[in-house]
Amino acid sequence: SAVISQKPSRDICQRGTSLTIQCQVDSQVTMMFWYRQQPGQSLTLIATANQGSEATYESGFVIDKFPISRPNLTFSTLTVSNMSPEDSSIYLCSVDRQGGGYTFGSGTRLTVV
Amino acid sequence: SQQGEEDPQALSIQEGENATMNCSYKTSINNLQWYRQNSGRGLVHLILIRSNEREKHSGRLRVTLDTSKKSSSLLITASRAADTASYFCATDGGYSTLTFGKGTMLLVSP
């Protein structure tokens, strides 16, 4: 199954700034998924990113706040824009495992102060 | 809204004991998956059970699925301290996206 390199692993950011999270996959994949995990909570899907088209956002998430790029079949970025303390979460990317289930990146632990 | 609801929310056992976690969901599924998360890091896929399967094994893991009750259970036998983690069930409704439950925190003491 695919291996995902996600970075940064953690960051502490000032409110009002933006952070871009990167995920690099070691094989070509059609779809990449971005999730948010708020403290002590489960994972919530933010959006699905297909190469060559705009990302599809889930209810409650908008492109202006969470712009996503998918320039090729092995790479994607998620930007958390104009951050507030409520954005403090773990952000994870994932891809289909081709055989069942999904592979996840190691996560980005974001703290907004 | 969350599709899966796990119980218990937290479970504390001794090494060598078995751990059972349950998951309930609300809508039709193609498959149900279980994941492990260590210390708020990335998730690791453990096992997938399809909607037409009732039981599946993988090493020390045993998963059951009852689609009539919309529930699943994960059994970890002969637990080890290294099994300490959060465990999540996730349902796949057939649109290539997962809906996660709230998770069970498992603590295995030596």
Side-chain angles (χ1 to χ4, degrees):
Chain A
S1 58
V3 175
I4 302 176
S5 173
Q6 181 173 347
K7 53 185 176 183
S9 60
R10 60 177 61 226
D11 208 340
I12 300 173
C13 300
Q14 296 291 322
R15 67 180 66 199
T17 62
S18 298
L19 175 72
T20 296
I21 302 165
Q22 301 179 2
C23 279
Q24 177 74 52
V25 190
D26 68 347
S27 59
Q28 294 184 337
V29 293
T30 303
M31 291 190 289
M32 294 182 70
F33 305 91
W34 288 97
Y35 288 86
R36 180 178 72 183
Q37 184 179 26
Q38 294 177 300
Q41 301 297 313
S42 186
L43 281 75
T44 301
L45 180 66
I46 297 172
T48 302
N50 287 326
Q51 193 270 334
S53 63
E54 282 199 6
T56 302
Y57 289 83
E58 298 298 304
S59 176
F61 298 96
V62 295
I63 187 171
D64 290 346
K65 177 66 176 177
F66 297 101
I68 289 171
S69 77
R70 185 79 203 277
N72 57 55
L73 290 172
T74 64
F75 187 79
S76 179
T77 67
L78 170 76
T79 298
V80 186
S81 303
N82 188 25
M83 290 184 285
S84 66
E86 292 69 36
D87 295 319
S88 297
S89 296
I90 298 172
Y91 293 86
L92 302 108
C93 60
S94 77
V95 301
D96 193 313
R97 284 177 78 243
Q98 298 296 327
Y102 293 80
T103 297
F104 283 79
S106 55
T108 296
R109 185 181 293 271
L110 170 63
T111 302
V112 184
V113 298
Chain B
S1 61
Q2 292 290 344
Q3 168 77 309
E5 297 282 340
E6 286 101 329
D7 79 272
Q9 289 188 333
L11 181 60
S12 183
I13 60 175
Q14 299 289 316
E15 265 191 327
E17 295 180 340
N18 295 342
T20 299
M21 289 160 266
N22 302 297
C23 169
S24 61
Y25 57 93
K26 297 176 182 175
T27 62
S28 297
I29 61 172
N30 272 12
N31 63 69
L32 185 145
Q33 303 168 32
W34 285 89
Y35 290 84
R36 183 184 73 226
Q37 184 180 38
N38 291 85
S39 301
R41 303 298 291 171
L43 274 71
V44 175
H45 178 264
L46 296 176
I47 195 166
L48 178 152
I49 186 165
R50 302 189 189 284
S51 60
N52 61 353
E53 298 175 309
R54 292 297 167 258
E55 186 172 313
K56 202 162 183 180
H57 297 255
S58 177
R60 295 183 296 114
L61 305 180
R62 172 177 167 257
V63 170
T64 63
L65 179 64
D66 187 335
T67 53
S68 67
K69 296 181 179 178
K70 290 187 169 58
S71 67
S72 174
S73 67
L74 171 67
L75 168 67
I76 304 174
T77 60
S79 62
R80 307 165 180 167
D83 294 328
T84 294
S86 291
Y87 291 81
F88 294 90
C89 68
T91 54
D92 184 343
Y95 298 99
S96 296
T97 59
L98 295 179
T99 303
F100 283 84
K102 295 181 178 179
T104 293
M105 292 181 58
L106 174 65
L107 173 63
V108 183
S109 301

